[in-house]
């Protein structure tokens, strides 16, 4: 039994496919990725690095502490 459907039977118009591609690119943030990829690399020279930066603070909620205690038996 031969199939009567072809891979091109369900193709939309070129304008609709173009719109789909544009929407997909917007959703994947491809323009932003291309912009970030085309920026120059940061300097590796010590004197061009920012000064001291504070270390990020990590806060652990009570719920997370209880869960960790339950998992590790403490």
């Amino acid at each position: 039994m031969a199939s009567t459907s072809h891979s091109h039977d369900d193709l939309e118009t070129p304008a609709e496919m173009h719109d789909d591609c544009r929407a997909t690119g917007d959703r994947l943030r491809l323009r932003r990725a291309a912009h970030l990829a085309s920026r120059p690399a940061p300097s590796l020279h010590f004197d061009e690095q920012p000064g001291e930066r504070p270390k990020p603070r990590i806060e652990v909620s009570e719920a997370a502490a209880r869960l960790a205690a339950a998992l590790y038996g403490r």
Side-chain angles (χ1 to χ4, degrees), residues 7-66:
S7 62
H8 56 81
D9 284 346
D10 59 348
L11 291 180
E12 298 176 7
T13 66
E16 290 171 326
M17 289 188 289
H18 182 272
D19 292 342
D20 289 345
C21 289
R22 178 162 291 183
T24 301
D26 290 344
R27 176 161 265 191
L28 293 175
R29 300 183 188 132
L30 296 178
R31 286 191 188 109
R32 182 174 185 274
H35 171 71
L36 293 174
S38 64
R39 291 184 358 191
S43 172
L44 296 176
H45 298 285
F46 179 78
D47 58 339
E48 295 177 2
Q49 296 301 315
E52 284 193 39
R53 293 183 230 169
K55 292 185 178 180
R57 294 187 51 86
I58 299 174
E59 296 187 24
V60 179
S61 68
E62 276 188 52
R66 283 194 309 272

